[in-house]
Amino acid sequence: MIKYEKVNALLDNRNLDALLIMSDYNRRYLTGFTGSSGAVIMTKDEKYLISDFRYKAQGREQAKDFEFVLQDKALLDFIMEFMEAKSFESVGFEGEHVNFNTFDRLDSTFDLVPLTGEIEKIRMYKTSDEVDLVKRACNIADETYEYILKYIRPGMSELEVRNEVENYMRKLGAEGSSFDMIVASGWRGALPHGVASEKTIESGEMVTLDFGAYYQGYASDITRSFGVGSVSEEMEKIHDIVLKSQLASLDEIRPGMTGREADKIARDIIENSGYGANFGHSLGHGLGLEVHEMPGLSKSSDVKLESGMIVTVEPGIYVDDVGGVRIEDDCLVTESGLEKLSHSSKELFIL
Protein backbone atom coordinates (compact mmCIF):
# COMPACT_ATOMS: atom_id res chain seq x y z
CA MET A 1 0.00 0.00 0.00
CA ILE A 2 1.10 3.57 -0.69
CA LYS A 3 1.19 4.54 2.99
CA TYR A 4 3.72 1.78 3.69
CA GLU A 5 5.82 2.92 0.74
CA LYS A 6 5.83 6.42 2.23
CA VAL A 7 6.88 5.07 5.62
CA ASN A 8 9.72 3.17 3.95
CA ALA A 9 10.79 6.36 2.20
CA LEU A 10 10.76 8.10 5.59
CA LEU A 11 12.98 5.37 7.05
CA ASP A 12 15.39 5.75 4.12
CA ASN A 13 15.50 9.54 4.18
CA ARG A 14 16.20 9.67 7.92
CA ASN A 15 18.55 6.65 7.95
CA LEU A 16 16.40 4.91 10.54
CA ASP A 17 16.55 1.29 11.64
CA ALA A 18 12.95 1.43 12.83
CA LEU A 19 9.91 3.61 13.40
CA LEU A 20 8.05 3.46 16.73
CA ILE A 21 4.38 4.52 16.77
CA MET A 22 2.56 4.82 20.10
CA SER A 23 -0.30 7.28 19.45
CA ASP A 24 -3.81 5.88 19.05
CA TYR A 25 -4.77 7.52 15.76
CA ASN A 26 -1.50 6.82 13.96
CA ARG A 27 -1.51 3.24 15.23
CA ARG A 28 -5.01 2.74 13.87
CA TYR A 29 -4.17 4.42 10.58
CA LEU A 30 -1.18 2.20 9.89
CA THR A 31 -2.62 -1.10 11.10
CA GLY A 32 -6.42 -0.93 11.14
CA PHE A 33 -6.25 -2.05 14.79
CA THR A 34 -8.93 -0.40 16.93
CA GLY A 35 -7.79 -1.58 20.37
CA SER A 36 -7.00 0.93 23.09
CA SER A 37 -3.46 -0.20 23.88
CA GLY A 38 -0.43 -1.15 21.84
CA ALA A 39 2.48 0.04 19.76
CA VAL A 40 3.66 -0.30 16.17
CA ILE A 41 7.24 -0.94 15.14
CA MET A 42 8.11 -0.79 11.44
CA THR A 43 11.32 -1.40 9.56
CA LYS A 44 11.79 -1.52 5.80
CA ASP A 45 11.11 -5.25 5.83
CA GLU A 46 9.07 -5.91 8.96
CA LYS A 47 5.86 -4.62 10.50
CA TYR A 48 4.94 -5.45 14.09
CA LEU A 49 1.87 -4.71 16.19
CA ILE A 50 2.56 -5.14 19.92
CA SER A 51 -0.34 -5.47 22.35
CA ASP A 52 -1.53 -7.48 25.34
CA PHE A 53 -3.60 -10.66 25.69
CA ARG A 54 -6.92 -8.76 25.53
CA TYR A 55 -6.28 -7.93 21.89
CA LYS A 56 -4.58 -11.10 20.64
CA ALA A 57 -7.43 -12.25 18.41
CA GLN A 58 -8.54 -8.73 17.50
CA GLY A 59 -5.03 -7.60 16.58
CA ARG A 60 -4.43 -10.57 14.31
CA GLU A 61 -7.79 -10.10 12.64
CA GLN A 62 -7.59 -6.34 12.10
CA ALA A 63 -3.87 -5.84 11.42
CA LYS A 64 -3.45 -8.44 8.70
CA ASP A 65 -0.34 -6.76 7.24
CA PHE A 66 1.41 -6.89 10.63
CA GLU A 67 2.91 -9.60 12.76
CA PHE A 68 1.11 -9.57 16.10
CA VAL A 69 3.54 -9.69 19.04
CA LEU A 70 2.05 -10.51 22.45
CA GLN A 71 3.52 -8.36 25.21
CA ASP A 72 4.12 -10.16 28.50
CA LYS A 73 5.00 -7.15 30.65
CA ALA A 74 4.40 -3.39 30.79
CA LEU A 75 4.26 -1.97 27.27
CA LEU A 76 7.31 0.30 27.47
CA ASP A 77 9.40 -2.40 29.14
CA PHE A 78 8.43 -4.82 26.40
CA ILE A 79 9.18 -2.30 23.62
CA MET A 80 12.63 -1.64 25.09
CA GLU A 81 13.50 -5.35 25.25
CA PHE A 82 12.03 -6.03 21.81
CA MET A 83 14.00 -3.29 20.08
CA GLU A 84 17.20 -4.20 21.94
CA ALA A 85 16.81 -7.80 20.80
CA LYS A 86 16.49 -6.55 17.23
CA SER A 87 19.70 -4.50 17.67
CA PHE A 88 18.00 -1.29 16.58
CA GLU A 89 20.09 1.84 17.03
CA SER A 90 18.44 4.73 15.20
CA VAL A 91 14.72 4.87 15.99
CA GLY A 92 12.18 7.40 14.75
CA PHE A 93 9.44 8.43 17.18
CA GLU A 94 6.45 10.75 17.29
CA GLY A 95 7.88 13.85 18.90
CA GLU A 96 4.50 15.41 19.62
CA HIS A 97 2.95 12.30 21.16
CA VAL A 98 5.68 10.86 23.42
CA ASN A 99 5.83 12.16 27.00
CA PHE A 100 9.07 13.06 28.70
CA ASN A 101 9.31 9.94 30.85
CA THR A 102 8.90 7.65 27.84
CA PHE A 103 11.42 9.69 25.87
CA ASP A 104 13.88 9.57 28.75
CA ARG A 105 13.66 5.77 28.95
CA LEU A 106 14.03 5.25 25.22
CA ASP A 107 16.77 7.84 24.84
CA SER A 108 18.93 6.00 27.36
CA THR A 109 19.30 3.09 24.92
CA PHE A 110 18.51 4.24 21.39
CA ASP A 111 19.45 7.09 19.09
CA LEU A 112 16.05 8.78 18.91
CA VAL A 113 15.01 10.85 15.88
CA PRO A 114 11.85 12.97 16.29
CA LEU A 115 9.42 12.70 13.36
CA THR A 116 6.96 15.35 14.43
CA GLY A 117 3.94 15.37 12.13
CA GLU A 118 5.43 12.98 9.56
CA ILE A 119 2.74 10.29 9.84
CA GLU A 120 0.10 13.01 9.95
CA LYS A 121 1.43 14.30 6.63
CA ILE A 122 0.93 10.87 5.10
CA ARG A 123 -2.58 10.80 6.56
CA MET A 124 -3.49 13.98 4.65
CA TYR A 125 -3.95 11.93 1.47
CA LYS A 126 -7.10 9.84 1.72
CA THR A 127 -7.64 6.52 -0.02
CA SER A 128 -10.94 5.85 -1.80
CA ASP A 129 -12.01 3.71 1.17
CA GLU A 130 -11.31 6.56 3.58
CA VAL A 131 -13.24 9.00 1.39
CA ASP A 132 -16.22 6.63 1.37
CA LEU A 133 -16.21 6.45 5.18
CA VAL A 134 -16.10 10.25 5.51
CA LYS A 135 -18.93 10.49 2.96
CA ARG A 136 -21.04 8.16 5.09
CA ALA A 137 -20.25 10.20 8.19
CA CYS A 138 -21.34 13.32 6.28
CA ASN A 139 -24.55 11.63 5.13
CA ILE A 140 -25.40 10.85 8.75
CA ALA A 141 -24.85 14.50 9.68
CA ASP A 142 -26.96 15.69 6.74
CA GLU A 143 -29.86 13.38 7.61
CA THR A 144 -29.63 14.43 11.24
CA TYR A 145 -29.75 18.13 10.38
CA GLU A 146 -32.88 17.61 8.31
CA TYR A 147 -34.45 15.79 11.24
CA ILE A 148 -33.43 18.23 13.97
CA LEU A 149 -34.95 21.22 12.15
CA LYS A 150 -38.33 19.49 12.59
CA TYR A 151 -37.60 18.71 16.24
CA ILE A 152 -36.43 22.05 17.69
CA ARG A 153 -39.01 24.29 19.33
CA PRO A 154 -38.67 27.52 21.36
CA GLY A 155 -38.32 26.70 25.04
CA MET A 156 -35.98 23.75 24.52
CA SER A 157 -32.55 23.93 26.07
CA GLU A 158 -29.39 23.69 24.01
CA LEU A 159 -28.57 20.50 25.93
CA GLU A 160 -31.86 18.92 24.84
CA VAL A 161 -30.99 19.63 21.23
CA ARG A 162 -27.48 18.24 21.64
CA ASN A 163 -28.77 15.03 23.16
CA GLU A 164 -31.35 14.53 20.42
CA VAL A 165 -28.74 15.12 17.71
CA GLU A 166 -26.43 12.57 19.31
CA ASN A 167 -29.20 9.99 19.71
CA TYR A 168 -30.40 10.39 16.13
CA MET A 169 -26.89 10.05 14.68
CA ARG A 170 -26.46 6.81 16.62
CA LYS A 171 -29.77 5.53 15.21
CA LEU A 172 -28.32 6.14 11.74
CA GLY A 173 -25.22 4.07 12.49
CA ALA A 174 -22.79 6.56 13.99
CA GLU A 175 -20.46 5.45 16.77
CA GLY A 176 -21.13 8.81 18.38
CA SER A 177 -20.31 12.49 18.00
CA SER A 178 -16.97 13.29 16.42
CA PHE A 179 -16.39 16.13 18.92
CA ASP A 180 -18.09 18.02 21.75
CA MET A 181 -21.07 19.40 19.85
CA ILE A 182 -21.73 23.14 19.65
CA VAL A 183 -25.29 24.38 20.12
CA ALA A 184 -25.14 28.15 20.57
CA SER A 185 -28.32 30.25 20.55
CA GLY A 186 -28.86 34.00 20.73
CA TRP A 187 -25.96 35.87 22.29
CA ARG A 188 -24.08 32.59 22.78
CA GLY A 189 -23.72 32.35 19.01
CA ALA A 190 -20.87 34.84 19.41
CA LEU A 191 -18.90 32.03 21.10
CA PRO A 192 -17.18 30.12 18.28
CA HIS A 193 -16.85 27.08 20.56
CA GLY A 194 -20.05 27.55 22.54
CA VAL A 195 -20.78 23.94 23.49
CA ALA A 196 -24.37 23.20 24.47
CA SER A 197 -25.53 24.71 27.76
CA GLU A 198 -28.71 24.83 29.81
CA LYS A 199 -29.71 28.07 28.07
CA THR A 200 -33.22 28.03 26.64
CA ILE A 201 -33.63 28.64 22.91
CA GLU A 202 -36.00 31.58 22.43
CA SER A 203 -38.05 32.80 19.50
CA GLY A 204 -36.22 35.54 17.59
CA GLU A 205 -32.79 33.99 18.08
CA MET A 206 -30.23 32.60 15.66
CA VAL A 207 -28.92 29.14 16.53
CA THR A 208 -25.54 27.79 15.42
CA LEU A 209 -25.29 23.99 15.32
CA ASP A 210 -21.79 22.58 14.79
CA PHE A 211 -21.70 18.79 14.94
CA GLY A 212 -20.46 15.65 13.26
CA ALA A 213 -20.58 11.87 13.36
CA TYR A 214 -17.95 9.20 13.77
CA TYR A 215 -18.57 6.35 11.34
CA GLN A 216 -16.21 3.37 11.49
CA GLY A 217 -13.55 5.67 12.92
CA TYR A 218 -13.90 8.55 10.44
CA ALA A 219 -15.35 11.96 11.22
CA SER A 220 -17.69 14.48 9.69
CA ASP A 221 -17.96 18.10 10.83
CA ILE A 222 -20.66 20.47 9.56
CA THR A 223 -22.11 23.75 10.81
CA ARG A 224 -25.36 25.49 10.01
CA SER A 225 -26.95 28.62 11.50
CA PHE A 226 -30.72 29.06 11.42
CA GLY A 227 -33.38 31.25 12.96
CA VAL A 228 -36.15 30.48 15.41
CA GLY A 229 -39.36 32.44 14.81
CA SER A 230 -37.52 35.37 13.24
CA VAL A 231 -34.09 37.01 13.24
CA SER A 232 -32.92 40.60 13.30
CA GLU A 233 -31.88 42.45 10.16
CA GLU A 234 -28.30 42.47 11.42
CA MET A 235 -28.22 38.70 11.86
CA GLU A 236 -29.81 38.19 8.46
CA LYS A 237 -27.13 40.45 6.95
CA ILE A 238 -24.37 38.54 8.76
CA HIS A 239 -25.75 35.22 7.49
CA ASP A 240 -25.75 36.57 3.92
CA ILE A 241 -22.11 37.68 4.21
CA VAL A 242 -20.94 34.37 5.68
CA LEU A 243 -22.82 32.39 3.05
CA LYS A 244 -21.37 34.55 0.26
CA SER A 245 -17.84 34.04 1.59
CA GLN A 246 -18.33 30.30 1.96
CA LEU A 247 -19.78 29.82 -1.52
CA ALA A 248 -16.93 31.85 -3.03
CA SER A 249 -14.40 29.67 -1.21
CA LEU A 250 -16.05 26.47 -2.40
CA ASP A 251 -16.00 27.77 -5.95
CA GLU A 252 -12.47 29.19 -6.04
CA ILE A 253 -10.30 26.84 -3.95
CA ARG A 254 -8.04 24.75 -6.18
CA PRO A 255 -5.25 22.21 -5.72
CA GLY A 256 -1.91 24.01 -5.63
CA MET A 257 -3.23 26.79 -3.41
CA THR A 258 -1.68 27.19 0.01
CA GLY A 259 -3.85 27.15 3.10
CA ARG A 260 -3.14 30.88 3.39
CA GLU A 261 -4.44 31.57 -0.13
CA ALA A 262 -7.59 29.54 0.51
CA ASP A 263 -8.24 31.36 3.78
CA LYS A 264 -7.87 34.73 2.06
CA ILE A 265 -10.81 34.12 -0.29
CA ALA A 266 -13.39 34.17 2.51
CA ARG A 267 -11.48 36.59 4.72
CA ASP A 268 -11.36 39.29 2.04
CA ILE A 269 -15.14 39.15 1.54
CA ILE A 270 -15.81 39.35 5.27
CA GLU A 271 -13.29 42.16 5.78
CA ASN A 272 -14.69 44.15 2.85
CA SER A 273 -18.14 43.81 4.44
CA GLY A 274 -16.90 45.43 7.64
CA TYR A 275 -16.67 42.33 9.84
CA GLY A 276 -13.00 41.41 9.50
CA ALA A 277 -12.40 41.76 13.24
CA ASN A 278 -15.26 39.34 13.88
CA PHE A 279 -13.74 36.43 11.93
CA GLY A 280 -11.04 35.28 14.32
CA HIS A 281 -10.49 31.63 13.42
CA SER A 282 -9.12 29.97 10.31
CA LEU A 283 -11.19 29.04 7.27
CA GLY A 284 -10.83 25.31 7.82
CA HIS A 285 -8.83 22.21 8.66
CA GLY A 286 -8.19 18.68 7.53
CA LEU A 287 -10.59 15.90 8.43
CA GLY A 288 -10.29 12.12 8.71
CA LEU A 289 -9.64 9.84 11.65
CA GLU A 290 -9.54 13.01 13.74
CA VAL A 291 -11.89 15.92 13.42
CA HIS A 292 -8.88 18.28 13.23
CA GLU A 293 -6.02 17.09 11.03
CA MET A 294 -3.56 18.55 8.57
CA PRO A 295 -3.72 20.58 6.38
CA GLY A 296 -4.86 23.86 7.87
CA LEU A 297 -6.62 26.56 5.86
CA SER A 298 -5.33 29.52 7.82
CA LYS A 299 -3.48 32.81 7.52
CA SER A 300 -0.25 31.07 8.55
CA SER A 301 -0.45 27.86 6.49
CA ASP A 302 1.99 27.33 3.63
CA VAL A 303 0.87 23.73 3.07
CA LYS A 304 -0.34 23.29 -0.52
CA LEU A 305 -3.68 21.66 -1.13
CA GLU A 306 -3.50 18.51 -3.24
CA SER A 307 -5.94 16.03 -4.68
CA GLY A 308 -7.04 13.45 -2.13
CA MET A 309 -7.09 15.76 0.89
CA ILE A 310 -10.32 16.33 2.82
CA VAL A 311 -10.85 19.77 4.37
CA THR A 312 -13.57 21.81 6.03
CA VAL A 313 -14.58 25.24 4.73
CA GLU A 314 -16.14 27.21 7.61
CA PRO A 315 -16.11 31.01 7.65
CA GLY A 316 -17.90 32.73 10.50
CA ILE A 317 -18.79 36.10 11.99
CA TYR A 318 -19.23 36.59 15.75
CA VAL A 319 -20.51 39.80 17.36
CA ASP A 320 -20.30 40.02 21.15
CA ASP A 321 -23.64 40.26 22.95
CA VAL A 322 -25.48 39.92 19.62
CA GLY A 323 -24.80 36.47 18.13
CA GLY A 324 -22.93 34.72 15.40
CA VAL A 325 -23.10 32.68 12.20
CA ARG A 326 -20.87 29.91 10.89
CA ILE A 327 -21.45 27.77 7.80
CA GLU A 328 -19.28 24.69 7.30
CA ASP A 329 -19.00 21.93 4.72
CA ASP A 330 -16.63 18.98 4.38
CA CYS A 331 -14.93 18.80 0.98
CA LEU A 332 -12.65 16.52 -0.99
CA VAL A 333 -9.88 18.27 -2.92
CA THR A 334 -9.95 16.98 -6.50
CA GLU A 335 -7.82 17.66 -9.57
CA SER A 336 -10.08 20.59 -10.51
CA GLY A 337 -11.33 22.02 -7.22
CA LEU A 338 -13.52 20.91 -4.33
CA GLU A 339 -16.15 18.18 -4.21
CA LYS A 340 -18.65 18.78 -1.43
CA LEU A 341 -19.23 15.77 0.80
CA SER A 342 -21.89 17.45 2.98
CA HIS A 343 -25.06 18.68 1.34
CA SER A 344 -27.44 20.20 3.93
CA SER A 345 -29.17 23.36 2.81
CA LYS A 346 -27.32 26.57 3.74
CA GLU A 347 -29.98 29.15 2.93
CA LEU A 348 -31.23 30.99 5.99
CA PHE A 349 -33.90 28.73 7.46
CA ILE A 350 -36.45 30.10 9.93
CA LEU A 351 -38.22 27.56 12.14
Side-chain angles (χ1 to χ4, degrees):
M1 297 176 67
I2 291 176
K3 60 186 172 185
Y4 300 145
E5 294 173 4
K6 290 182 177 180
V7 169
N8 281 346
L10 188 59
L11 290 165
D12 270 344
N13 293 338
R14 298 297 186 92
N15 294 315
L16 299 173
D17 295 326
L19 173 65
L20 172 63
I21 299 295
M22 300 184 72
S23 65
D24 292 345
Y25 288 111
N26 286 341
R27 183 180 64 234
R28 178 169 182 165
Y29 173 71
L30 291 170
T31 67
F33 173 62
T34 61
S36 63
S37 177
V40 171
I41 295 175
M42 298 179 68
T43 72
K44 286 195 65 178
D45 302 312
E46 300 166 314
K47 298 192 289 289
Y48 302 101
L49 169 63
I50 299 170
S51 193
D52 62 63
F53 74 96
R54 296 171 298 169
Y55 298 114
K56 184 177 179 180
Q58 180 181 342
R60 288 174 174 168
E61 173 62 26
Q62 292 181 327
K64 295 184 183 301
D65 294 318
F66 286 70
E67 179 181 341
F68 183 86
V69 181
L70 182 64
Q71 71 184 76
D72 57 7
K73 58 188 66 178
L75 181 59
L76 184 56
D77 292 336
F78 188 87
I79 289 170
M80 295 280 292
E81 291 186 9
F82 184 85
M83 294 200 302
E84 284 186 272
K86 292 286 184 180
S87 300
F88 295 153
E89 295 181 3
S90 180
V91 176
F93 75 103
E94 303 161 289
E96 73 274 46
H97 297 301
V98 173
N99 64 40
F100 176 79
N101 290 340
T102 299
F103 170 82
D104 195 45
R105 286 277 313 276
L106 292 168
D107 193 48
S108 67
T109 304
F110 307 101
D111 177 17
L112 294 184
V113 178
L115 301 177
T116 302
E118 293 295 341
I119 302 302
E120 285 80 358
K121 289 176 184 176
I122 297 173
R123 281 169 49 191
M124 286 194 300
Y125 303 91
K126 270 55 179 183
T127 65
S128 59
D129 288 342
E130 289 180 296
V131 172
D132 287 343
L133 291 173
V134 174
K135 282 183 177 180
R136 180 58 188 139
C138 288
N139 290 342
I140 290 172
D142 284 337
E143 290 183 51
T144 300
Y145 182 66
E146 183 178 351
Y147 164 77
I148 207 66
L149 289 180
K150 300 171 184 175
Y151 173 84
I152 295 176
R153 294 290 184 274
M156 287 182 175
S157 72
E158 295 170 349
L159 285 171
E160 287 180 85
V161 173
R162 182 202 68 182
N163 293 341
E164 187 67 18
V165 169
E166 171 107 20
N167 290 337
Y168 197 78
M169 289 195 297
R170 288 183 181 273
K171 288 180 182 178
L172 295 177
E175 299 163 44
S177 293
S178 53
F179 57 96
D180 197 358
M181 192 184 312
I182 293 167
V183 185
S185 60
W187 66 268
R188 293 191 75 252
L191 308 175
H193 281 186
V195 296
S197 73
E198 295 181 354
K199 179 188 174 301
T200 298
I201 297 171
E202 305 291 349
S203 182
E205 293 182 331
M206 186 79 85
V207 179
T208 293
L209 179 60
D210 184 351
F211 69 106
Y214 263 130
Y215 180 76
Q216 294 186 19
Y218 282 79
S220 59
D221 179 9
I222 73 170
T223 308
R224 296 293 186 267
S225 295
F226 54 90
V228 178
S230 62
V231 296
S232 67
E233 290 185 7
E234 181 178 11
M235 292 308 300
E236 185 172 349
K237 175 186 176 183
I238 288 172
H239 190 281
D240 288 344
I241 295 168
V242 173
L243 180 57
K244 179 182 177 182
S245 71
Q246 206 248 5
L247 292 175
S249 300
L250 294 175
D251 185 58
E252 297 176 29
I253 290 175
R254 293 287 184 272
M257 277 187 176
T258 63
R260 176 184 291 111
E261 291 169 333
D263 178 273
K264 190 174 186 297
I265 296 168
R267 197 165 301 279
D268 282 352
I269 291 172
I270 291 174
E271 287 179 350
N272 291 337
S273 299
Y275 287 94
N278 304 97
F279 177 24
H281 57 73
S282 63
L283 178 63
H285 53 82
L287 183 73
L289 283 169
E290 294 181 87
V291 76
H292 288 94
E293 296 188 349
M294 298 174 68
L297 308 186
S298 71
K299 292 187 289 186
S300 61
S301 175
D302 290 321
V303 177
K304 287 190 176 181
L305 298 178
E306 297 184 44
S307 179
M309 296 177 177
I310 294 179
V311 297
T312 68
V313 178
E314 49 178 303
I317 292 174
Y318 314 91
V319 181
D320 289 346
D321 301 319
V322 175
V325 171
R326 180 165 63 254
I327 301 173
E328 174 184 22
D329 282 306
D330 303 335
C331 304
L332 173 67
V333 181
T334 70
E335 296 291 345
S336 58
L338 294 180
E339 174 190 340
K340 278 203 306 144
L341 305 182
S342 49
H343 303 286
S344 298
S345 173
K346 292 178 287 195
E347 298 301 321
L348 180 54
F349 186 84
I350 305 294
L351 296 178

